[in-house]
Amino acid sequence: MPVDRRQAAVFAGAFALRLLLLVLFPSLPDLLTGRVEVSTPVTSFKRLQEGLFLYTRNVSPYDGGVFHQAPLLLPIFALLPNAREFPLPTALFYSLIDLINANALITISDSGQAVSGRLFSALRKHIRWDGVSVAAWFLFNPFTIATCLGRSTSVFTTTGILYALSSAVSGNSLNAMLSLGFASYLSIYPALLFIPLVLLCYDRRAQGPKPPSGVAIFAIQHMAVFLLSIAGLLGISCLVVGDFSQFISATYGFQLLVPDLTPNVGLWWYFFIEMFDSFREFFLGVFWLHLAAYVGGLTVRLRRQPLFVITSLLGIFAVFKPYPSISDASLYFALLPLYRHLFPRKYEDLLDDDVH
């Protein structure tokens, strides 16, 4: 299989940049880990280390009331050396995750689903960036680099979402559901992407030699795969931590009820810190309903472009989810270059002048 030299150069440059920053600024990872823009109560690497400390000593990682992340992350990070004493292996691991995410972006971009699908075709579909350019946009985005160096666990959710999209545009709908199940297991909000993702899978499969019989049956079948993937991950998690109810309460209950009002880049913490406790449950429901309401409206209005619906929803989630960070913004920004054909023509002329 021939090696794309441009892709290899971009990947090598991004990988080298991350290692160079680590070598030149050894204290930078700890600095970024402590920033509320990078770390949240549900993605913080410091909290992961606390849970890992308890886990390696055969104590429930949720006993301290600090760790609120998926338990399957613990066996993975238990294989790595202590990040404080040996930061390089962890940095290499996170850098590789970024490259994996960039590879998924290349697949999404090269599929052409952003400019032409089963039900639509853009008038300016010839105006587009190739996959390597989109990957470079993602890899050299300061938000992506800061998230990588800050070792936020949100990168794994990003991986699940991007590989769900890359599998969907490739016609592999089962892998798309499994990837979305993995992302939803790590963080609740990706489950809201199910409807537009299954429509994207349906449209892509309908363009193939063996189109599915009907969208309703197709959706039900893939809903079953999606739910079974989550159930399987929850079952394995129960084997890891033992106490299933404590695990559910400390992870998904924590994300749903938003008890930690540590300041972050989102809106929820400020709103709820100013609110009387008697109104808290009502407005929790209102905020979650507000977040979920975009799914139906955008999916119905933009039925012909499910990939654009997903991109728009990711931008909305980056603002309105309970514990957002710059990692969510970097994921949204990573998908924006897919829609170069929507940029104003005057801006396109400026870009062309810069290139030439």
Side-chain angles (χ1 to χ4, degrees):
M1 182 177 179
V3 177
D4 188 327
R5 293 185 178 181
R6 287 182 62 236
Q7 179 178 341
V10 168
F11 279 30
F15 191 80
L17 176 61
R18 285 156 172 76
L19 296 185
L20 182 63
L21 289 173
L22 179 65
V23 172
L24 294 180
F25 307 100
S27 62
L28 185 59
D30 289 335
L31 174 65
L32 291 174
T33 301
R35 297 293 304 180
V36 297
E37 298 90 347
V38 178
S39 299
T40 70
V42 294
T43 63
S44 171
F45 185 73
K46 287 184 178 179
R47 291 176 181 250
L48 175 65
Q49 292 294 98
E50 176 70 21
L52 188 61
F53 177 84
L54 297 175
Y55 170 74
T56 54
R57 285 156 180 78
N58 295 321
V59 179
S60 173
Y62 302 106
D63 279 352
V66 175
F67 180 64
H68 302 290
Q69 302 172 45
L72 290 187
L73 294 175
L74 297 173
I76 297 174
F77 281 90
L79 299 175
L80 298 174
N82 187 294
R84 184 171 294 277
E85 298 176 1
F86 306 99
L88 186 59
T90 304
L92 292 174
F93 178 61
Y94 272 88
S95 299
L96 288 174
I97 293 295
D98 273 358
L99 298 185
I100 291 173
N101 293 342
N103 188 66
L105 276 170
I106 292 176
T107 302
I108 297 168
S109 177
D110 290 345
S111 71
Q113 287 294 310
V115 296
S116 180
R118 183 175 74 96
L119 301 175
F120 88 103
S121 181
L123 295 177
R124 303 169 65 198
K125 61 183 179 182
H126 60 284
I127 302 176
R128 52 183 294 197
W129 280 303
D130 64 352
V132 176
S133 299
V134 174
W137 175 277
F138 169 74
L139 289 172
F140 292 98
N141 185 337
F143 284 1
T144 307
I145 296 173
T147 301
C148 176
L149 295 178
R151 299 163 296 186
S152 170
T153 56
S154 58
V155 298
F156 302 106
T157 304
T158 297
T159 302
I161 293 173
L162 288 178
Y163 267 88
L165 292 178
S166 67
S167 298
V169 299
S170 302
N172 195 335
S173 56
L174 291 181
N175 279 355
M177 293 300 108
L178 294 175
S179 298
L180 185 66
F182 172 71
S184 302
Y185 162 77
L186 295 176
S187 182
I188 292 177
Y189 80 92
L192 296 174
L193 300 175
F194 172 78
I195 296 177
L197 182 67
V198 80
L199 291 176
L200 178 61
C201 292
Y202 179 82
D203 289 348
R204 186 64 185 85
R205 290 278 296 275
Q207 293 176 288
K210 295 182 179 180
S213 56
V215 66
I217 297 176
F218 185 85
I220 293 172
Q221 291 172 342
H222 287 72
M223 171 65 83
V225 175
F226 173 65
L227 294 177
L228 285 174
S229 66
I230 296 178
L233 291 170
L234 292 177
I236 299 173
S237 299
C238 187
L239 296 177
V240 172
V241 296
D243 192 337
F244 185 74
S245 61
Q246 184 187 31
F247 148 57
I248 294 295
S249 175
T251 53
Y252 306 119
F254 185 87
Q255 295 181 44
L256 286 171
L257 300 179
V258 198
D260 191 324
L261 300 180
T262 303
N264 55 61
V265 296
L267 305 174
W268 291 49
W269 71 272
Y270 185 78
F271 191 89
F272 283 101
I273 207 171
E274 297 286 343
M275 185 184 300
F276 292 110
D277 289 341
S278 56
F279 297 102
R280 180 179 174 84
E281 288 78 9
F282 171 76
F283 280 101
L284 270 175
V286 170
F287 270 54
W288 275 112
L289 182 62
H290 168 256
L291 189 66
Y294 289 100
V295 178
L298 287 174
T299 303
V300 172
R301 182 64 183 86
L302 300 172
R303 164 63 186 93
R304 297 182 177 183
Q305 303 181 55
L307 182 57
F308 185 74
V309 172
I310 294 173
T311 302
S312 302
L313 287 174
L314 289 174
I316 292 169
F317 295 160
V319 177
F320 293 118
K321 62 181 285 194
Y323 295 111
S325 68
I326 60 174
S327 175
D328 302 295
S330 71
L331 175 58
Y332 174 60
F333 290 152
L335 295 174
L336 281 184
L338 299 176
Y339 299 95
R340 184 186 179 189
H341 59 285
L342 298 181
F343 293 173
R345 187 174 295 275
K346 183 180 294 186
Y347 180 65
E348 285 295 331
D349 294 339
L350 290 175
L351 286 177
D352 292 339
D353 291 341
D354 291 340
V355 171
H356 297 298

